[in-house]
Structures are given as structure tokens and as C-alpha cells.
Amino acid sequence: MTALPHAPVDHPPVKFGKIGILLANLGTPDHYSYWPMRRYLNEFLSDQRVIDYPKWKWQPLLQLIILSKRPFTSGAAYKSIWNHDKGESPLMTITRDQTAKMAEVMQARHGDKVMVDFCMRYGNPSTDSKVRAMVAAGCDRILFVPLYPQYAGATSATANDQFFRALMAEAWQPAARTLPAYYDHPAYINALAGSVERAYAAMETRPDVLVASYHGMPERYLMQGDPYHCQCQKVTRLLREKLGWDKNSIVTSFQSKFGPEEWLKPYTVEEVARLAEAGKKRIAVIAPAFSADCIETLEEINEEIRDAFIEAGGEGFTYIPCLNDDDAHIAALAQVIDENLGGWV
């Protein structure tokens, strides 16, 4: 795998013949202090898949106002959940653990023919650095795996965009595939349902309602054709059907509103308060849009949204963690990946 067959003796060595599986998540700041937070937020909020306002209108607001203040508030939130032992965010720790387990599974199935690694859309490790590393290691085929169960322009699409930009820099461009959204794959729904069943089995008192809280987006994106909202609704329905519950046992809501526009509703922070006021004193919350726990789950759900519920009269609040590196989750992802490696392995 280090030289082309029949090449002249002075031909430069070229590695080829391996398959890369590149897992991709949103990203993380390198630290919660001001300048690392500012660099991360600048990259994230400058992405026009995320904020699609005209640059001439958005960038002055971002650079002069938002990025002068938000790194402090976001940094404090990150500090509250930071993995101080490893000096990194929980998302980095979990994604690395997911990758290590996936590498073990793929090694057992396909041997040294397959290489597994991970990258981040924003921050480090960057997508282009990992694509370069895979090509240098001899990957002439790469399956790019956005770790988002549901498709959205601001998540899956922008991750794919960055992957394609990285490919543009390669002299010998590998063949490429992108993993489609797997929100309705039976293995994923089974893993999600299993996490709920385990959490409920460990509780002394069953919650009155399970809140499926998804990351939000402007309503305008839905009207422009983004399928995210519909896919979220379907996940809730499939999860309820798998659990065998009635329609009133699960509600769908959306969190993380940003900016002045109307976003997908109901907003989770308002919905949990409404449930408490309606007499639903014990709830559980799950976040099916996230493959790994992160700032939006560990800080926003487990702190801000919990507080809103308790302040409205709620008594029992349980956050059910993301699937993370749970074996059932890794097995589900491995099944989806293998289905998308057809013809390569």
C-alpha cells in the first residue's frame, strides 16, 4: 500500500487502498476563557448556514456587539460543565470515546482496511486536518458521518460543506460519501427507547410526562424547505410507538432560541413551565437531536430548563443523558455506517 504497481523506481511513494470513516460533531472551544471562546463563537456564528443574514448587516453586529459580551456568558456556562481532569469540554471527551469504540467495532469487522477518526465542524480537530491525515494514511475512499440523527442545514449540511471544502485541497481526491440522516432507523430508535426504559426503571416515581427537547431553528427555515422539524416530530412518534405509550405521555419542544426571529415552537423553557402549572409535577427530559451531551444538554437543559420547571411549581425533574458512547448507540451507528459502506467493504 506504499507504492503504485508498475511505477518507476523514482516515483514518490503513495499510500492507497484504505477506507476512512470520519465522524463529525459540531465543535467545541479549546478553553472557556475569553479569547478561545471568542474564536469559537466567531467561527460558529459567521457560518451562513447557521445565521443566514447578509454579511454586511450581520458581521458588524457580531464583531462589535455580540462577540464583545457573549464569550463571557458562554464561557461561564462552559466552565460549569468543563471536564477539568482532561482539560476539555464534555463533547470532546464523549466524541473521542465514541470514536474509540467505533474503531474497535470496525477493526473487528473489517480489519486494517478501515480507519476511523473524528473531526469538529468548528474548532479543533478541524475537518480539513483530519481529511489530510486520512489521505496521507492511504484512504482513497472516505465515508463522512455527521453525528446528527436528523438533517438540518445548520448541522448536517454545514458539516458536509466543510468536508467538501477539505476535499478541494487534495491533489488525489478520495472518493467520498456522506451518511444520510438516520433519525428513523430502527436501530437508533431502539437505542433511544432503551435509554428511556433504563432511566424510568431506575426512578422511584414515574414521571408524568417525557419531554423530547430538540435544538431549535428559525421557523423561516422550515418554510424554506428544511426537513428538520418534520424529522424531529417523527422521532418522537417512533419513540412513543416503540415504548408502547399513549400520545399524552410524550411532548415535543425546541430549545436554544437565538435572536429576534420566531423559532420552532413550543419553546422547551416555556413548555416545562406550562406543564408544571398544569399539574405535571414530575417530568423527564430527553434530547434526541444530540448524539453526545454538550453545553445545550448539560447546562441548558439540566440547569436553565430545570430551573424554569421548578420555579413554575414542578417537583421532580430528570434529565436522561444522550446516547453518548453507550454500546447500543455504537452498535446502531455501526449498523448505519456498514449499510453506507456497501460496495467498499
Side-chain angles (χ1 to χ4, degrees), residues 23 25 91-104 116 147 290-293 322-326 329-330 333:
L23 310 181
N25 217 321
L91 179 66
M92 179 70 77
T93 303
I94 294 166
T95 305
R96 183 182 291 111
D97 291 344
Q98 290 172 327
T99 303
K101 283 193 171 184
M102 186 61 67
E104 290 180 3
V116 180
L147 290 171
F290 300 93
S291 64
D293 276 306
C322 293
L323 294 176
N324 295 325
D325 66 338
D326 180 80
H329 187 211
I330 300 303
L333 284 173

Side-chain angles (χ1 to χ4, degrees), residues 2 12 16 59 68 70 72 79 83 91 119 173 181 218 220 223 240 258 260 276 290-291 293 308 324 327-328 342:
T2 59
F16 64 96
Q59 281 298 320
S68 66
R70 194 172 179 88
F72 292 108
K79 184 178 181 180
N83 185 339
L91 179 66
C119 65
Q173 193 177 64
R220 176 169 52 87
M223 303 313 294
R240 176 179 59 78
F258 177 80
F290 300 93
S291 64
D293 276 306
N324 295 325
D327 288 345

Side-chain angles (χ1 to χ4, degrees), residues 130-145:
K130 292 299 185 176
V131 169
R132 285 198 303 272
M134 283 190 161
V135 171
C139 295
D140 52 28
R141 289 153 291 172
I142 298 177
L143 174 64
F144 187 69
V145 183

Side-chain angles (χ1 to χ4, degrees), residues 295-317:
I295 191 75
E296 287 86 358
T297 63
L298 299 175
E299 195 275 336
E300 185 178 0
I301 291 179
N302 213 19
E303 295 181 21
E304 295 177 27
I305 292 171
R306 175 193 293 270
D307 289 347
F309 178 69
I310 299 300
E311 289 172 6
E315 298 173 359
F317 182 102

